[in-house]
Amino acid sequence: MKKRPARTNRMPKNHWERKNYKWIYLFLLPTVIIFLMFYMVPIIQVFVTSFTRWDGFNSPAFSGLTNYINLFTSGSFLISLKNLFLWALIAMFLHVGFGTVIAFVLYQRKRGWKVTRAVFMIPNVISAAAWAMIYRFFFNNNYGILNSVIRKINPDFDVQWFYQSPWAFWAVTLTWLFYAVIVTLLVFGDLMNIPQELNEAAIIDGASGWQLIRYIQLPLCRSAIATGVICSITSRITMYEQISLTTSGGPGNDTMSLPILLVNAVTDYRYGYANAIGVVMFVIGLVMMGIINKAFRMNETDY
Amino acid sequence: MLTFKKGLSRGIIYFLEIFVIVISIFPLLWVLISAFKTNGEILGNPLGLPSSISFDTFVHLFENYNFPQYFVNSLLAAGVSTAASLLFYAMGGYVLAKYKFPGRTLLFTLFTVTLLVPAHSKTQPIFTLIMQLGLFDNIWGVTLVYLSTGMAMSIFVLRAGFMAIPKSLDEAAIVDGAGFIRIFWSINLPLAKSALTTAGILMFLNNWNEYYYASLLTMSDSQRTLPIALSYFTSEFSYNYTQLFAALVIVVLPGIILYIFAQEQVQVSMASTGIKG
């Protein structure tokens, strides 16, 4: 930005701004109302009533930590925490890893990279509910394509992917595992921002292709990868359709997740308990974000 | 040796490209093809092609079930909420980008920090709010909730868009005697087109595909959006596979068509979901 000499119209401009304060605040009004209605008030309500016993009809009665104690002694809650932990690890390493690898593949600009990028997007533009449904059909034992293919090799094969015990967890995992296009776009964006001179300088210094990736390009898309990790773990915390429309948490509690428990509590009119789950989701999200920011040194710039 | 290595890495690249294309398209193609098969063909030969192409199933769905209604509901909920919130957040993003006033930083921080709140954690308060407003089991209740969903991202994208418009344009307009509204509507808004498209596409896709709140806030058949209708449909008619697949095609197609016509913008929009608050 060019530095300009001190503006001569500074006074009148300020005056103009002050004259328009009513417009400025009027323009902000809709956003502020939405913020208060759908964020501020609900969040306060969630936090406060998570310490109460509340059925939605009678007024909430303070009950201390009872809801939280009940949560942490409930089997289904502990299983959903374990599932979340496992899914977060899978998301962080396999899902983000896959997305990053594909970003590097695209960056090589070999034939077909544009088509690949365009097509990879498609699962993300259709509704997660429809995608969950497609996978329910895909894994179906009778007419699903997966088992039909397996039966070509082993005619006696018979597995109900979404309804049998160790498989359900992995079947749910497969509905999102490879669809990492957001990570790919983020990392690809960072790769495109690397100054060409930097790559050329490294090649002149005798760096091989792998060294170029390992020591120059990968470190430079650190913050995109971190953002990808945050996005993918956040969507694991709020994963609902992929479970509700396939296994609804079963078999047993094998694929239970926090949003499913929360919805069950709301429909049972156990509002205090539901909001305690909400608080747990909120806190897990914040803690995770803090850890990842630290781990990837997100606040430092590279260039 | 060098050429072998080169060939190997090229092979891996092509393998991964093909893998991505297959996992992204194959399930959809399978659904599309199955929608034209008979029940017997779907069960007997899941991999085969349909013996004849007929659109009877689709016509049947539109004539005998409420699919036109679901479609209109989805369009209303997603379209109205996107148009309204785009205007609201453009107004907010505009003054946050271009004017100095007390509370500016605080408001911007508050608006964007909402990105950190998992949408599902606010379920009960929003459920109760919509009940109290008398909008439960009403498509307008769902629309109202959708107004709020894209807030952080839209404010972020739109503010950046307005900041990129040179201030000298505003100053010239002031000298010419233009008022506050005119400077916003006729000068800044048209120039922020790309930010508006980015935010608009993202909000529309999200709201069109939304399932969680729509399933919680509606009950009766006439208020369902397409994704909700689909989930009821699959549980009620779980033995007519052709119809199930055809219903899936109807639900999935609009998003894909939108994407085909606005590929670049959709990709930009999707990448901006990763913007940090």
Side-chain angles (χ1 to χ4, degrees), chain A residues 130-278:
Chain A
W131 198 247
M133 219 79 84
I134 291 174
Y135 261 88
R136 199 171 82 191
F137 295 163
F138 203 83
F139 283 122
N140 186 288
N141 193 28
N142 298 323
Y143 54 89
I145 202 140
L146 184 72
N147 285 6
S148 315
V149 171
I150 296 176
R151 278 195 205 110
K152 296 247 178 252
I153 306 156
N154 174 9
D156 298 327
F157 190 80
D158 190 63
V159 166
Q160 304 267 8
W161 292 102
F162 280 122
Y163 307 105
Q164 281 180 13
S165 204
W167 306 116
F169 182 88
W170 299 105
V172 168
T173 308
L174 276 179
T175 62
W176 52 267
L177 184 59
F178 290 113
Y179 301 100
V181 70
I182 292 196
V183 181
T184 302
L185 288 179
L186 287 169
V187 175
F188 189 72
D190 264 20
L191 283 174
M192 298 295 274
N193 283 336
I194 296 176
Q196 209 43 54
E197 306 93 70
L198 209 64
N199 286 332
E200 280 160 14
I203 291 169
I204 290 169
D205 286 347
S208 71
W210 285 114
Q211 282 172 325
L212 192 65
I213 292 175
R214 170 74 186 80
Y215 295 106
I216 311 276
Q217 293 165 350
L218 203 54
L220 285 177
C221 35
R222 199 180 64 219
S223 83
I225 295 174
T227 313
V229 171
I230 291 177
C231 286
S232 62
I233 296 185
T234 311
S235 26
R236 300 292 67 85
I237 298 177
T238 57
M239 183 156 68
Y240 180 74
E241 289 95 330
Q242 292 98 320
I243 298 172
S244 155
L245 291 172
T246 54
T247 64
S248 11
N253 282 323
D254 269 19
T255 55
M256 199 42 90
S257 82
L258 297 178
I260 303 251
L261 287 177
L262 200 157
V263 170
N264 290 346
V266 170
T267 46
D268 282 353
Y269 298 103
R270 284 148 68 212
Y271 286 180
Y273 189 75
N275 288 340
I277 301 174

Side-chain angles (χ1 to χ4, degrees), chain A residues 127-129 237-242 244-245 257-267 274-275 277-278 281, chain B residues 118-127 136 142 145-146 149 206-218 225 227-228 231:
Chain A
S127 100
I237 298 177
T238 57
M239 183 156 68
Y240 180 74
E241 289 95 330
Q242 292 98 320
S244 155
L245 291 172
S257 82
L258 297 178
I260 303 251
L261 287 177
L262 200 157
V263 170
N264 290 346
V266 170
T267 46
N275 288 340
I277 301 174
M281 284 167 72
Chain B
H120 301 44
S121 65
K122 303 170 300 176
T123 306
Q124 179 273 319
I126 288 180
F127 184 72
F136 180 73
V142 179
V145 175
Y146 288 175
T149 47
N206 277 343
N207 296 339
W208 177 270
N209 291 333
E210 209 274 344
Y211 177 84
Y212 185 76
Y213 278 110
S215 75
L216 268 171
L217 298 176
T218 61
T225 60
I228 308 304
S231 73

Side-chain angles (χ1 to χ4, degrees), chain A residues 45-55 59-68 270-273 275:
Chain A
Q45 198 180 340
V46 165
F47 270 87
V48 171
T49 58
S50 74
F51 298 102
T52 65
R53 214 178 140 80
W54 188 27
D55 58 8
S59 49
F62 182 74
S63 66
L65 289 173
T66 318
N67 287 327
Y68 291 94
R270 284 148 68 212
Y271 286 180
Y273 189 75
N275 288 340

Side-chain angles (χ1 to χ4, degrees), chain A residues 30-99:
Chain A
T31 314
V32 170
I33 291 175
I34 294 173
F35 174 74
L36 290 176
M37 247 173 101
F38 289 101
Y39 291 96
M40 192 76 178
V41 175
I43 290 167
I44 294 172
Q45 198 180 340
V46 165
F47 270 87
V48 171
T49 58
S50 74
F51 298 102
T52 65
R53 214 178 140 80
W54 188 27
D55 58 8
F57 301 106
N58 306 305
S59 49
F62 182 74
S63 66
L65 289 173
T66 318
N67 287 327
Y68 291 94
I69 293 168
N70 287 343
L71 264 185
F72 281 92
T73 49
S74 128
S76 49
F77 175 77
L78 293 177
I79 292 176
S80 16
L81 277 190
K82 190 199 81 187
N83 285 343
L84 176 58
F85 184 70
L86 266 176
W87 274 323
L89 282 181
I90 294 170
M92 196 159 134
F93 291 103
L94 299 180
H95 177 83
V96 174
F98 183 74

Side-chain angles (χ1 to χ4, degrees), chain B residues 49 56 84 160 223 267:
Chain B
L49 289 170
D56 290 351
Q223 307 298 324
Q267 288 186 5

